[in-house]
Amino acid sequence: MTEKSAARADWESRIGKPSDGRLLGIGELPAPAGLSADDGTGHVLLTWRPVPGALGYLVHRADSAEGPFEPLDHLGGDVLAVPHPPYADTLAQPGRGYFYKVATWSDTGAGALSEAVPGSARAAGSRPAEVTVAVDAAAPATELPGVWNRMIGAEHFSLLTWDKPGAGGSDVAKEYGEALAIVRDEIGVRSVRAHGTFLPETVTVRADGSFDFSGLDAVYDRFLATGLKPVVELSFMPEELASDPHYTVFDYKALVSTPARWERWGDLCRELTVHLQERYGRDTVAGWEFEVWNEANLEVFWNGTQDDYHRLYEVAVRAVKGVDDRIKVGGPSSAAAGWVGALLEYCQEHDVPVDFVSTHTYGNAPLDFRPMTRAFAEATGRPEPEILWTEWGVTPTHFHRVSDSVFAAPFVLRGMKSALSSTDCLSYWVASDQFEELGWPPRLFHGGFGLLTVGNLRKPRFWALYLLSQLTGGRIPAAVGGDGAGALVESLATRAEDGSTVDVLLWNGTLDQSKIDGAAVLDRAATVRVTGLEPGAVHTVESRRVDEHHANIQAVWKDLDGGDWPDDQQWRKLRAADELPVETLAPVTADAEGTAVLTVELPNPGIRFLRLARG
């Protein structure tokens, strides 16, 4: 997990050499054109024309047309640039006038600012503002890419062999394994990324310099029994190989030093690959991703330079590929979307393999790195690297209350929808609150990164991913209109292959973490209009919702007046409430044109899942 919350200033001072676009053939980008600001209820909705080659956009605001214009900080704690329009400024105070400008965002940072436009948020009315969702059930269905379930994060795999009592008296190994099974079965997760393949309990260096992987065997045997695939993160440095054996991070003292001898780092990566193949099979290991290190652009994770990381990457990838070229290897596994262009340029200039680029961001939707990966492929004639966001979440900050909140649930859906066309994987960090990086959980609800609590209760963020996995069939158009459309309220819809059901997932959220506890001014009434149905056909309607009063396990705990940890009776009540109930709404009948209409409440933050089934 990143340490950006503790090392933000350090990161900003040593971000390293960004790509200048020269080798990748990407030049300076113009400022966005066509910026407009629509006055909305509780927000100002900004939109602009996308700029080819931009990775994202940075929204600026001022109190006057003359400025000064400062980037809007929605308090996510990480990259402020958004990947695309529209953007809802919910920090705006109703009735107060503002001026806005937008800059493109590239690997070198913000570009030129656009022309300024004025905007002002409206106060709430006597009833929630309205939005519409137009679903075309007769349109050709397209694939809904599973960017949300290809991979998920987890604490180091050696927790599977943990033999000491955990937080709240929990059985760490048992609950960790159960959590992996839950995300596998209920979200459809296929692979898991964890730190610390080379921790002392998994890999040791013998007196003769050879490597003993017996600890890793015990861990991987248990992990692979789940049916999931590991992402082999090549980290951290064994003490015997480190240039500084005292340079560590986390409570478990992961060693994050450069190697004393670079060839020994290559030996370790090569022998690991051979060992995994011998134990689990060449074809099996060929289907795993190997990622080089974790967040070397943060000093807490690396005592070397950016050039040192490039060397670390090259030595590792050549060692792994020397054993089996089929294995996919990538990096830079960076914090805050850094170093991606620089790694691609290094690989281009030095003819180094790179099968995927990986990076991380929090508190925002992921940027769009396709301009860089496509430029790399065009410049080298190689296949375009995949884009894997191997860590992503609502906050980079340990023990932040947003992680237990309903606010995080529509945030997850916004990020996943944004990633559908621009990434190959958006991996949520992490599955379980069985997590020890900066200390074990002090209480049940402590702002842990997990989708699941200690005890494996499902948080609202979990239910967001679960509902994505419940969408059945192919994707069909779901156009949102009205007050806050596309930035506050968004939607996805699918149709079963046989046409028997239409699923509509809609949500109402904001990036603005000053609204963690919700904002009534942002509540909406959503009218869902489904066209393309059989005229006169009656459809049953099932509804599921996630909001302050539904599927919010923390609210149940508060109602129990709980302390730090539940007693036996409280555990029973919590487990009984750990569900996402199905509500049956009134049936709808398609009219003579094949249109059915229903209206639902959509609080902020909130999610609705609707299934229309032909009777």
Side-chain angles (χ1 to χ4, degrees):
M1 176 53 204
T2 78
E3 288 293 294
K4 289 184 289 298
S5 55
R8 181 75 184 184
D10 164 71
W11 170 75
E12 290 175 342
S13 68
R14 64 187 299 277
I15 186 68
K17 296 175 290 186
S19 159
D20 61 11
R22 178 177 52 84
L23 286 177
L24 295 177
I26 301 173
E28 185 175 346
L29 300 175
L35 177 63
S36 65
D38 293 331
D39 299 348
T41 305
H43 75 289
V44 177
L45 186 69
L46 303 169
T47 190
W48 56 89
R49 290 197 290 273
V51 177
L55 308 183
Y57 305 88
L58 192 61
V59 178
H60 294 66
R61 193 181 75 184
D63 292 329
S64 72
E66 291 73 33
F69 284 85
E70 299 292 340
L72 270 176
D73 186 352
H74 45 254
L75 309 179
D78 203 348
V79 177
L80 298 181
V82 295
H84 52 72
Y87 177 89
D89 175 18
T90 58
L91 289 159
Q93 297 178 23
R96 180 176 174 181
Y98 300 95
F99 289 82
Y100 296 90
K101 293 185 178 183
V102 176
T104 53
W105 185 266
S106 70
D107 205 41
T108 58
L113 286 166
S114 69
E115 296 296 320
V117 297
S120 178
R122 294 193 298 267
S126 59
R127 301 174 61 183
E130 297 180 353
V131 293
T132 60
V133 182
V135 179
D136 185 355
T142 59
E143 180 185 5
L144 182 63
V147 297
W148 67 88
N149 59 17
R150 173 170 168 173
M151 183 189 302
I152 204 164
E155 182 61 289
H156 54 88
F157 287 145
S158 53
L159 290 193
L160 286 166
T161 59
W162 194 268
D163 59 1
K164 298 183 286 293
S170 61
D171 184 330
V172 174
K174 180 174 180 288
E175 287 193 5
Y176 183 95
E178 289 173 348
L180 296 182
I182 289 170
V183 297
R184 177 199 65 205
D185 295 342
E186 298 184 27
I187 299 176
V189 167
R190 291 166 281 164
S191 63
V192 183
R193 173 185 179 267
H195 298 328
T197 301
F198 300 138
L199 289 175
E201 63 265 32
T202 51
V203 177
T204 57
V205 182
R206 301 186 182 97
D208 64 0
S210 62
F211 301 105
D212 180 356
F213 296 108
S214 57
L216 187 67
D217 294 344
V219 170
Y220 265 41
D221 286 354
R222 293 194 183 188
F223 173 78
L224 291 171
T226 66
L228 294 161
K229 296 193 299 184
V231 177
V232 183
E233 184 189 286
L234 299 175
S235 71
F236 294 105
M237 196 65 64
E239 180 178 355
E240 295 83 356
L241 273 60
S243 63
D244 182 352
H246 304 291
Y247 198 87
T248 63
V249 69
F250 296 145
D251 280 18
Y252 58 87
K253 303 299 182 184
L255 219 163
V256 290
S257 168
T258 56
R261 294 165 51 201
W262 289 92
E263 68 273 14
R264 291 292 287 148
W265 168 250
D267 292 341
L268 175 62
C269 295
R270 182 181 309 104
E271 292 190 28
L272 169 73
T273 308
V274 171
H275 179 82
L276 292 174
Q277 286 185 334
E278 289 175 347
R279 189 169 185 85
Y280 304 113
R282 286 179 56 86
D283 291 342
T284 295
V285 176
W288 300 349
E289 287 102 358
F290 282 51
E291 186 180 32
V292 182
W293 213 254
N294 176 70
E295 298 190 349
N297 61 330
L298 295 183
E299 190 176 66
V300 293
F301 284 113
W302 184 238
N303 69 346
T305 64
Q306 186 180 38
D307 288 339
D308 289 333
Y309 174 76
H310 289 159
R311 187 177 184 185
L312 184 88
Y313 176 84
E314 181 174 1
V315 171
V317 70
R318 293 199 189 282
V320 174
K321 293 283 192 179
V323 176
D324 192 337
D325 190 56
R326 296 177 298 170
I327 296 174
K328 293 182 178 180
V329 186
S333 187
S334 53
W339 288 15
V340 173
L343 178 64
L344 288 173
E345 290 186 343
Y346 180 87
C347 291
Q348 177 182 336
E349 190 171 13
H350 298 276
D351 194 26
V352 178
V354 56
D355 298 303
F356 61 85
V357 292
S358 61
T359 188
H360 309 154
T361 196
Y362 288 84
N364 205 342
L367 297 174
D368 185 353
F369 277 103
R370 290 177 297 174
M372 282 189 172
T373 56
R374 289 170 178 172
F376 174 83
E378 292 172 3
T380 62
R382 302 183 203 169
E384 182 180 345
E386 287 192 298
I387 300 170
L388 308 183
W389 292 83
T390 52
E391 283 187 28
W392 178 73
V394 69
T395 180
T397 304
H398 292 73
F399 311 122
H400 194 307
R401 69 188 187 95
V402 72
S403 292
D404 296 330
S405 69
V406 176
F407 175 98
F411 168 87
V412 166
L413 295 181
R414 175 176 177 81
M416 291 299 175
K417 183 185 179 187
S418 178
L420 289 175
S421 62
S422 63
T423 73
D424 297 286
C425 167
L426 187 55
S427 174
Y428 203 90
W429 186 264
V430 288
S432 169
D433 275 350
Q434 291 291 359
F435 195 85
E436 67 161 323
E437 285 187 351
L438 296 188
W440 292 101
R443 64 192 66 86
L444 181 62
F445 291 101
H446 62 282
F449 291 119
L451 297 170
L452 300 161
T453 69
V454 172
N456 287 328
L457 302 171
R458 294 153 181 82
K459 300 182 189 180
R461 285 175 291 134
F462 175 92
W463 291 122
L465 293 175
Y466 172 82
L467 288 174
L468 273 173
S469 73
Q470 295 302 297
L471 290 169
T472 300
R475 183 180 179 182
I476 53 177
V480 182
D483 197 332
L488 295 176
V489 179
E490 299 179 271
S491 182
L492 286 169
T494 59
R495 183 188 65 237
E497 187 174 350
D498 62 2
S500 59
T501 61
V502 173
D503 292 340
V504 184
L505 180 60
L506 59 157
W507 58 93
N508 182 4
T510 173
L511 296 177
D512 169 16
Q513 293 197 17
S514 72
K515 307 297 189 296
I516 290 177
D517 297 317
V521 69
L522 300 177
D523 292 349
R524 297 294 183 261
T527 298
V528 180
R529 183 180 299 272
V530 183
T531 61
L533 302 172
E534 179 184 345
V538 178
H539 292 75
T540 61
V541 182
E542 292 182 348
S543 170
R544 301 181 187 186
R545 46 182 163 168
V546 180
D547 54 41
E548 189 63 31
H549 305 291
H550 301 86
N552 180 10
I553 195 67
Q554 185 180 33
V556 177
W557 178 234
K558 288 179 180 178
D559 288 343
L560 293 174
D561 295 323
D564 288 345
W565 296 101
D567 58 27
D568 289 345
Q569 183 180 15
Q570 289 170 328
W571 272 121
R572 287 192 293 272
K573 291 180 178 179
L574 287 167
R575 296 199 188 286
D578 184 27
E579 61 178 355
L580 184 62
V582 176
E583 305 170 68
T584 301
L585 305 186
V588 293
T589 302
D591 64 16
E593 282 78 41
T595 299
V597 180
L598 66 158
T599 298
V600 295
E601 298 174 349
L602 192 60
N604 182 295
I607 300 172
R608 275 276 191 168
F609 180 95
L610 302 170
R611 172 164 289 169
L612 280 67
R614 192 171 57 211

